Every structure is written in C-alpha cells, then in structure tokens.
Amino acid sequence: MKNFEYWNPTRIVFGKDTIKLLQDLIPVEAKILITYGGGSIKKNGIYDQVKDALAGRTWLEFGGIEPNPTYETLMEAVKVVRKELVTFILAVGGGSVLDGTKFISAASNYIGDDPWDIWKNGAKFENPIPFGSVLTLPATGSEMNSGAVITRKSTVEKLSGGHPSLFPKFSILDPETTYSLPQKQLRNGIVDTFMHVMEQYLTCPMNTPLQDRQAEAILKTLVEDHQKMMQSDPADYDARASFMWCATQALNGTLRSGVVTDWATHVIAHELTAFYGLAHAETLAIIYPALIQYKGEHKTEKMRQYLERIFDLRGLSDEETQLAAVEKTKKFLHTLGMPTQLNDYGINPDEAAQKISQRFAERGWKLGEHQDILAEDVRRIVLAAA
Ligand code: NZQ
Ligand code: ZN
C-alpha cells in the first residue's frame, strides 16, 4: 500500500426532506447566491423547497449553467458575485452546477488577469467563496470532492482542476430529488459512477484488500441493482438512495487511498466532449472498453479479480481474462442501454483519433497508472473504439 493522506471536510446530510435543513447549514449573516442549471429545479419543485428553506435570508440567483459548464457562462456569475458582494454560494443541481460553482468560488477573489489560469496552469488563488450544495443527480462525486471539470468554448478545451479549498462545506443528498431524472441521466450517472470505481480499481495489485473490497462493493451494487435504481413511476426510494451513496463514495477520495490510479479514460474522454459535445458518461463508455483492451496485459491480475468477484467467472487463461473483462464491461454498459462505439454517434474514428492524439502530443502528457500512454497510444485507443 502506498503512503497517503486522506482529508475530507464535506458534511453530508443524507435522506428524505433534508433540504429544509439549509436554514441550519448556511451562516445566518450570509449573502447567498443560488446557482443552478437549465431549469429542471423549477419544474420538479426543488427550487421551491430551497426557496422555502431560505425564507427570511438574503439571496439572489444565477441560472443557466449548462451541462459541461463553460468558462464563458461562469465568468458572468463571477461578475454577479463581485458586484453583489456574495459571501456564500449554494449550488443546486448535478455535477455541472457543482463544478461550475467551484470555478465561481475560486475565480471570484482571484487577483490575476484571467481565472482560466487556475484550471489551465494551476495558478494560485486566495479566499475562495464558501459554498454548499443540494445534489440532484448522482454521478460525479463532485458533492464530496474538491475537483471540477470546466469547458472553455472559445478554445475548445475541457480541463480538470481542483484545490483542497474547494470542497463543499456541506452537501444535501435527498434521494427524492432524483425522481425527476430522465432514464438517460440515470443511465449516465450509473456509468460515471462505475467508471470512477474502475479507474481507481482496475490498475495493478497494491496489496490493498480493504480498498479493493470497497471498490468491489460499489461495482457489485451497481451491477446487481441497476434496474431497481433506474426504475421510475414509481421510483424505488431505497434503490435511489443506494445509487446516490454509491456515486458519492466512488469519488470522495476513499477508493484512491494507497492505490495507484489510472484516469486515462477520463482524460481522453474529456477531449471527445470538447470536440463532439457528447455527455461525459457517453464518452467514458466509448473509451474505457477500448483502453482496457489496449492495456489488457498490464491489467490482467486485477481483471481476474474483477471477473471473479463481480461476475463470478473463474479459471480463465490470461488471454481469456483480458477478453472477458472487456466483454463483461461492454455487456453491462449495453444492458444499461449505453452505446460503446464512436460509430454509434456518427463520429469519424480517423478524424477523432487524429484530433485527440494531437492534443496529447502538444501537451506532452503521460497517462495511465504506469504513465506510459502517450499520444500515439491515445490515437490507437480512439481508433479501437471505432
Ligand atoms: O441543467 P438542468 O436543467 O438542471 O438539467 C440537468 C442537465 O440537463 C439534468 N438534471 C440534473 N438533475 C436533474 C436533472 N433533470 C431532471 N431532474 C433532476 N433531478 O441533467 C442534465 C445533466 O446534468 P449535469 O450536471 O451536466 O450532469 P452530471 O452530474 O453528469 O455532470 C457532468 C459534468 O461533471 C463533470 C463532467 O465532466 C461534466 O462536465 N465531472 C465532474 C467530476 C468531479 N467534479 O469530480 C468528475 C466526473 O468524472 C466528471 O468529469
Ligand atoms: Zn466521470
């Protein structure tokens, strides 16, 4: 097991009817900015619940944060925070609203020229605006981590960034907020959660039996219960609650403790979103099977453990193990109704491989648990996802 530090200051408030507890969670004297997305919270009653909980408080709102939140929109919110002297931000939405709020938090008191430098070049910032969240879409883990992925339209970039000062102060997780999610978003959330676990689990053995079993617990829960989690009209409260907690646990720092992590799929997949606009989970489902097929020889031991413990499949040769790990993963994705090929979206594989690998050639990034995935490997992986 590797040395590690684990620190997670986010207070989680979980369960039915918990939005009303906002009264106790946000400092009384705060001037609050509520951030949200394209309006789902106004249709499903969550906005009203938040408004009721904040009765008597000083607040204003900023809506319109889009999926894959953009620098361009978020800078408009930064203007509001600066002009109105906002002292607390409340994000109400999915990963995009939460991530966008982290950017707004970091950018508002940034004294350099352009807050994009925080994401692009790791520029230092001070006095981030404190924020909390009401999560409405289990998927990203952003509600209990300090990372955020921001898109810049003008330069066609989608970059991950983060800082220990960007953990939410609290996150309210009420499973009933997920009842209005369309099937596609439920599917995307399950896939993103699954992939967060795989990126930290399917690497190389590190003698970490606890972390392995924590990861497997999430994978097994998703594989066994995905149908119940996606059930609507009526939704199954306990299955939604379980899904919500799986998503949070998958990316709150627990699983990465003491192990080596991969994350190459996420980094490559972000480029697919930047160039072609696909949803985050859709891009992961395209790249991941191709990547583990390409790097199978380096992942065989963990693939064997994955097949045994998640799918009860034993006694395979190395080659059979590598094939079966790809096939079982794809099959699970297909069961969820998730496409796994570039062709499913009409994307030209040669063009995508060229554009994306070019990005990595320019950046000189080395990806994967062995830092051995270079631009040429990226090209081959994207082609393999044709
Ligand atoms: O914008 P509104 O109208 O709210 O609608 C949203 C949006 O259209 C809708 N939605 C959310 N909650 C709903 C709902 N619709 C009905 N009922 C509800 N309760 O769902 C759509 C997608 O929302 P979005 O927030 O974009 O989805 P998600 O949570 O999957 O977030 C994706 C973003 O998070 C980043 C992704 O790259 C992407 O930009 N990620 C962030 C991570 C992190 N911070 O740690 C890690 C992830 O790997 C990921 O990269
Ligand atoms: Zn993800």
Side-chain angles (χ1 to χ4, degrees):
M1 192 186 306
K2 283 172 43 178
N3 291 1
F4 66 89
E5 270 191 33
Y6 177 84
W7 183 69
N8 194 315
T10 300
R11 175 172 174 181
I12 294 293
V13 179
F14 195 100
K16 249 179 224 190
D17 294 330
T18 43
I19 293 178
K20 59 178 181 240
L21 301 177
L22 277 172
Q23 271 292 359
D24 308 324
L25 294 165
I26 301 181
V28 184
E29 69 286 357
K31 182 162 188 188
I32 305 161
L33 179 68
I34 300 174
T35 49
Y36 59 92
S40 69
I41 63 163
K42 293 205 167 164
K43 291 189 202 124
N44 58 18
I46 297 171
Y47 177 82
D48 290 333
Q49 288 187 56
V50 170
K51 220 170 63 172
D52 290 348
L54 294 181
R57 298 301 193 90
T58 311
W59 60 270
L60 50 155
E61 62 184 63
F62 182 90
I65 297 177
E66 57 280 83
N68 307 307
T70 65
Y71 164 86
E72 286 83 357
T73 300
L74 301 171
M75 286 305 287
E76 293 302 312
V78 168
K79 281 186 206 159
V80 176
V81 170
R82 288 176 176 168
K83 178 162 176 272
E84 300 289 339
L85 304 176
V86 166
T87 61
F88 195 94
I89 313 176
L90 178 65
V92 185
S96 294
V97 174
L98 266 86
D99 281 13
T101 298
K102 290 175 186 176
F103 180 89
I104 300 165
S105 162
S108 291
N109 288 326
Y110 181 66
I111 46 173
D113 288 340
D114 184 352
W116 184 243
D117 283 336
I118 303 171
W119 259 252
K120 177 116 183 166
N121 304 315
K124 286 207 172 81
F125 60 93
E126 285 178 2
N127 304 319
I129 311 283
F131 63 96
S133 85
V134 174
L135 180 71
T136 65
L137 198 178
T140 62
S142 189
E143 66 278 10
M144 201 179 177
N145 70 39
S146 59
V149 190
I150 308 298
T151 294
R152 187 163 185 168
K153 275 195 281 191
S154 60
T155 51
V156 199
E157 286 174 290
K158 184 177 184 195
L159 295 179
S160 299
H163 188 269
S165 63
L166 294 179
F167 281 96
K169 298 288 172 213
F170 64 81
S171 285
I172 293 184
L173 275 55
D174 178 344
E176 289 189 336
T177 62
T178 71
Y179 287 4
S180 56
L181 281 169
Q183 285 293 301
K184 196 170 162 183
Q185 296 300 343
L186 291 166
R187 173 201 79 177
N188 287 357
I190 292 173
V191 170
D192 197 20
T193 303
F194 191 87
M195 293 303 175
H196 292 158
V197 180
M198 294 297 270
E199 294 261 42
Q200 300 169 91
Y201 168 76
L202 204 78
T203 56
C204 43
M206 293 294 293
N207 293 321
T208 51
L210 173 63
Q211 292 90 322
D212 285 3
R213 288 195 165 89
Q214 286 173 318
E216 288 152 3
I218 299 174
L219 297 175
K220 191 86 184 159
T221 305
L222 297 174
V223 169
E224 274 183 2
D225 296 343
H226 64 273
Q227 272 178 330
K228 277 194 269 171
M229 291 170 176
M230 289 181 71
Q231 187 183 302
S232 286
D233 299 324
D236 176 332
Y237 177 83
D238 287 320
R240 292 294 174 95
S242 171
F243 169 30
M244 211 167 201
W245 195 224
C246 279
T248 303
Q249 289 291 324
L251 200 54
N252 68 356
T254 310
L255 300 184
R256 70 148 190 261
S257 304
V259 305
V260 283
T261 56
D262 185 339
W263 295 116
T265 294
H266 267 72
V267 180
I268 301 170
H270 287 332
E271 299 301 325
L272 266 184
T273 299
F275 284 123
Y276 300 100
L278 270 52
H280 174 59
E282 292 171 340
T283 62
L284 300 175
I286 294 170
I287 300 297
Y288 194 69
L291 185 132
I292 61 169
Q293 184 180 342
Y294 186 74
K295 297 303 286 181
E297 278 177 35
H298 297 262
K299 292 179 179 286
T300 314
E301 268 193 72
K302 283 307 263 303
M303 282 175 160
R304 184 167 283 121
Q305 186 175 322
Y306 166 64
L307 291 170
E308 283 182 11
R309 296 189 183 177
I310 308 302
F311 298 105
D312 222 3
L313 204 59
R314 301 190 155 68
L316 304 180
S317 68
D318 285 359
E319 206 178 317
E320 287 165 343
T321 300
Q322 290 155 19
L323 283 173
V326 176
E327 285 316 308
K328 282 285 179 190
T329 305
K330 270 193 172 178
K331 194 167 168 216
F332 175 58
L333 294 167
H334 293 159
T335 308
L336 292 164
M338 181 61 111
T340 52
Q341 312 292 145
L342 288 166
N343 284 329
D344 295 322
Y345 298 92
I347 294 174
N348 179 319
D350 293 314
E351 183 201 271
Q354 164 59 26
K355 277 178 158 176
I356 294 174
S357 61
Q358 176 70 25
R359 276 275 162 94
F360 290 100
E362 284 159 16
R363 291 174 186 156
W365 287 2
K366 297 175 179 170
L367 311 176
E369 65 266 31
H370 302 293
Q371 303 281 285
D372 59 355
I373 300 180
L374 309 178
E376 174 56 17
D377 304 287
V378 170
R379 195 182 67 80
R380 291 180 194 200
I381 289 165
V382 176
L383 277 179

